[in-house]
Amino acid sequence: MFLSDKAKRLTPYVAGIQPQEEGWVKLNTNENPYPPSPKVTEALHTADITNLRLYPDGESSSLKAAIASVFAVGEENVFCANSSDEVLALAFQAFFSGKSRIITPDISYGFYPVWGEMYDVGMIFAPLRDDFSINISDYNPSNGVVIANPNAPTSLALGLADIEKIAMQNSSSVVLVDEAYIDFAQVESAVSLIGKCKNVLVVRTFSKSHSLAGLRVGYAIGSPKLIEGLRRMRDAFNSYPLDMLAQIGATAAISDTDYLKETTTRIIATRGKTTAALEAMGYKVLPSHANFIFFHAANAGALYQFLLDNKILARYWSKPRISEFIRVSIGTDEDMEVFVKCVRQFSSGEQKNP
């Protein structure tokens, strides 16, 4: 009775289960299994807590400077916000709201259609090929493009040359590249394109590779005009998006490039071992460029439930084309051994706890 017509029409995004009790092997929300950089702990422990009485720096100046330094871009090319989801939502408002023919894959991040509906975006969902790869010829012409690279939940990635082709095909519209998982990929980031492709906006997060999902920090890198568009929308919504502690923690995290390399390398190695174990059992695993794997199981719904019954959380969607697939985040080696053992028991018909 109190809802607006738009609120009544919306189909909200459904996030992964967050268990409140101990004992779960949590492989459903693509969190990093390793703690943040020790430099984050040190920075937060030495933070001047008395400054919490003040509003934070609305421009996240120190964090923006650190990001610009790591990526060798200007500070005018960087925008920081409260999670990459907030950056993406602001981008939908700034560049796509009220427009038609905004193209995105038909199987991708579940928030895209929600924002499309919320911000009156006329979206076109381009079908992935049978192998779940993106057909770049589907992305021309448009009034905007939204691509997760690597894609979720499929874990596949486009090479930089293909991203550039899409950008060139749509030179008069914004091409948004969501790189939440790029640090786990064997492809180059699209950040290198922003100098010659003024329409490319790269969105990234600290939640995955930097182990800061609990701080909710995201950022965008693009041309100054695109960054200004994001700033206009932010300042019309929330001019102090990132709290002081989030800025301090994220600045320390992005500066520790050695730790980033160490943890992502470990996750990639565990991903390879888990993939090999599943393939040895006869499962088809898509070649992953992310910190998760997406594998085919004819009885995926039953396997998902068996994992759940054994306190292992994965992700399953009973939707067309992907109802026979399960997405599993990469945890520690120990986590994945428990997972593989449970899958092996299910496959052999042993319906018991691992």
Side-chain angles (χ1 to χ4, degrees):
M1 133 180 214
F2 297 108
L3 293 178
S4 67
D5 289 340
K6 177 174 287 188
K8 291 175 183 176
R9 291 194 306 268
L10 285 175
T11 303
Y13 173 74
V14 179
I17 298 169
Q18 295 285 355
Q20 300 302 308
E21 69 274 9
E22 298 294 324
W24 287 88
V25 178
K26 192 171 184 299
L27 306 174
N28 65 326
T29 49
N30 302 336
E31 292 143 325
N32 197 309
Y34 302 109
S37 160
K39 292 184 179 180
V40 174
T41 303
E42 180 183 356
L44 291 176
H45 278 169
T46 58
D48 185 355
I49 300 302
T50 63
N51 283 335
L52 287 175
R53 64 190 176 83
L54 304 172
Y55 284 111
D57 174 6
E59 288 299 323
S60 303
S61 302
S62 295
L63 175 57
K64 186 162 62 173
I67 293 169
S69 176
V70 167
F71 289 98
V73 298
E75 292 183 34
E76 69 276 10
N77 298 117
V78 181
F79 175 86
C80 302
N82 183 34
S83 79
S84 62
D85 283 340
E86 183 172 77
V87 180
L88 290 164
L90 292 172
F92 266 69
Q93 295 174 75
F95 309 120
F96 306 141
S97 181
K99 295 182 179 180
S100 61
R101 199 169 177 80
I102 308 300
I103 307 177
T104 195
D106 65 335
I107 301 171
S108 194
Y109 185 27
F111 242 134
Y112 299 157
V114 177
W115 289 319
E117 190 172 10
M118 182 178 291
Y119 302 124
D120 301 314
V121 178
M123 301 191 73
I124 293 177
F125 298 96
L128 298 177
R129 295 188 178 104
D130 290 342
D131 63 357
F132 294 118
S133 62
I134 287 175
N135 184 353
I136 64 172
S137 64
D138 289 338
Y139 293 80
N140 179 43
S142 77
N143 291 315
V145 172
V146 181
I147 290 179
N149 195 51
N151 196 15
T154 66
S155 77
L156 302 182
L158 287 174
L160 185 63
D162 284 336
I163 295 292
E164 184 174 358
K165 286 179 184 177
I166 292 173
M168 294 298 188
Q169 289 172 179
N170 297 275
S171 58
S172 61
S173 58
V174 173
V175 174
L176 191 161
V177 186
D178 183 353
E179 291 190 343
Y181 304 101
I182 195 70
D183 288 321
F184 307 98
Q186 288 79 54
V187 297
E188 187 179 346
S189 169
V191 168
S192 62
L193 295 177
I194 68 166
K196 63 176 171 179
C197 299
K198 306 299 184 183
N199 58 327
V200 170
L201 183 73
V202 179
V203 179
R204 298 174 63 122
T205 176
F206 282 82
S207 294
K208 314 301 182 185
S209 54
H210 292 286
S211 306
L212 292 181
L215 280 188
R216 312 303 295 129
V217 182
Y219 59 103
I221 301 178
S223 68
K225 285 187 176 181
L226 296 184
I227 298 304
E228 177 57 26
L230 293 174
R231 292 180 71 243
R232 288 175 63 86
M233 298 311 303
R234 178 200 65 194
D235 292 345
F237 169 69
N238 177 13
S239 55
Y240 298 105
L242 263 181
D243 66 73
M244 182 190 86
L245 296 179
Q247 293 183 38
I248 291 171
T251 301
I254 199 154
S255 301
D256 196 348
T257 55
D258 289 340
Y259 187 79
L260 172 68
K261 180 65 175 177
E262 175 190 338
T263 53
T264 54
T265 298
R266 292 174 69 182
I267 289 168
I268 290 168
T270 304
R271 182 183 73 194
K273 287 188 287 188
T274 305
T275 297
L278 288 172
E279 289 177 339
M281 287 184 269
Y283 292 99
K284 180 182 178 182
V285 184
L286 271 64
S288 177
H289 289 264
N291 67 336
F292 59 86
I293 54 177
F294 197 56
F295 71 99
H296 179 266
N299 46 7
L303 174 54
Y304 168 78
Q305 187 60 51
F306 184 68
L307 291 168
L308 196 62
D309 292 342
N310 286 275
K311 302 195 77 171
I312 300 172
L313 286 169
R315 204 76 199 267
Y316 171 72
W317 295 270
S318 57
K319 295 181 178 180
R321 299 189 69 191
I322 59 171
S323 61
E324 293 186 352
F325 285 82
I326 290 178
R327 192 194 73 187
V328 181
S329 306
I330 301 300
T332 62
D333 283 336
E334 293 75 18
D335 290 336
M336 304 319 292
E337 287 168 6
V338 173
F339 163 74
V340 167
K341 184 177 180 180
C342 191
V343 174
R344 187 174 290 117
Q345 289 176 338
F346 176 84
S347 301
S348 65
E350 298 178 39
Q351 305 295 304
K352 62 182 180 182
N353 291 338

